């Protein structure tokens, strides 16, 4: 495994840690954030009751930094892809990371905030679904099925949320964090596969059908 391979794999891990630690940290640092009453983006919008300079730095900065770092993982997805379908997943993955950074760059009061958030969630689901199909083509059927299960769970969470009223109602943070964790779980799982699993370039990984 080359240094570039390692750096790319660890970029995926670092992106997940940066964004999730920063987001959860912002909820803890907020004086009045409530999961059932707020959207996560409230933490990054100066002037909202739940936002402070600390929460805006953590939330907005974490998303921007995590999005930029996470783009490095696209190298692994491309070079280690075993077929054209797996490699196709690189495009929606990169779009999702750009959307993630966009959520941090454009706070919730900005016109581009909502498009960036929608881009993040939709593109992440597309990336996972396309990669899952590519996994199946590459005979990693179990991995593909599990990944599609994560996508279905993500879609299901938003379906449940949308069926209960206005999507933008209080408590939006709940489906937002669930979606973020599902995408994060897939990135960590895939990074491990390429760093220490069957897809490790140096052949040191544990051989497994998944």
């Amino acid at each position: 495994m080359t240094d570039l391979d390692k750096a790319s794999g660890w970029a995926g891990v670092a992106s997940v840690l940066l964004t999730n630690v920063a987001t959860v940290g912002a909820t803890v640092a907020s004086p009045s954030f409530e999961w059932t009453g707020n959207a996560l983006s409230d933490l990054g919008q100066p002037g909202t009751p739940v936002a402070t300079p600390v929460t805006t730095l953590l939330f907005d900065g974490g998303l921007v930094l995590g999005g930029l770092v996470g783009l490095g993982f696209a190298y692994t997805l491309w070079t280690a892809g075993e077929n054209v379908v797996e490699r196709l997943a690189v495009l929606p993955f990169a779009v999702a990371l750009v959307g993630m950074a966009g959520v941090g760059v454009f706070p919730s009061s900005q016109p581009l905030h909502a498009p960036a958030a929608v881009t993040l969630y939709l593109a992440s689901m597309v990336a996972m679904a396309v990669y899952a199909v590519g996994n199946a083509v590459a005979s990693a059927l179990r991995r593909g099925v599990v990944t599609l299960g994560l996508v279905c769970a993500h879609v299901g969470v938003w379906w449940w949320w949308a069926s209960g009223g206005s999507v933008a109602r209080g408590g939006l943070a709940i489906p937002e964090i669930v979606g973020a964790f599902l995408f994060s779980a897939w990135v960590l799982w895939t990074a491990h596969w390429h760093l220490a699993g069957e897809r490790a370039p140096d052949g040191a990984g544990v051989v497994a059908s998944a």
Side-chain angles (χ1 to χ4, degrees):
M1 181 184 294
T2 68
D3 289 342
L4 186 56
D5 292 325
K6 292 179 181 178
S8 177
W10 282 107
V13 176
S15 176
V16 169
L17 293 177
L18 283 168
T19 55
N20 287 283
V21 170
T23 298
V24 174
T27 68
V28 174
S30 171
S32 57
F33 177 84
E34 294 182 356
W35 288 99
T36 57
N38 292 107
L40 289 176
S41 296
D42 293 341
L43 296 162
Q45 175 57 56
T48 63
V50 301
T52 67
V54 173
T55 68
T56 56
L57 177 63
L58 284 172
F59 184 77
D60 294 337
L63 290 177
V64 172
L65 187 57
L68 293 176
V69 171
L71 285 172
F73 188 53
Y75 173 84
T76 288
L77 295 179
W78 179 262
T79 59
E82 292 196 356
N83 53 64
V84 67
V85 183
E86 286 188 351
R87 292 189 180 97
L88 282 174
V90 172
L91 178 58
F93 175 79
V95 170
L97 271 291
V98 171
M100 177 188 294
V103 172
V105 170
F106 304 107
S108 57
S109 63
Q110 300 296 315
L112 290 179
H113 178 82
V118 172
T119 295
L120 164 60
Y121 286 110
L122 285 181
S124 66
M125 287 187 274
V126 171
M128 293 164 64
V130 172
Y131 200 69
V133 174
N135 292 164
V137 173
S139 299
L141 183 60
R142 186 176 66 178
R143 174 173 286 272
V145 170
V146 173
T147 299
L148 285 178
L150 295 177
V151 175
C152 289
H154 197 168
V155 172
V157 166
W158 283 108
W159 184 277
W160 161 75
W161 182 254
S163 68
S166 170
V167 173
R169 69 185 185 275
L172 182 60
I174 296 173
E176 287 179 328
I177 199 67
V178 172
F181 281 166
L182 289 170
F183 184 44
S184 296
W186 175 75
V187 172
L188 288 178
W189 187 35
T190 305
H192 177 270
W193 195 32
H194 291 286
L195 285 168
E198 181 186 1
R199 290 282 180 92
D202 58 6
V206 177
V207 176
S209 60

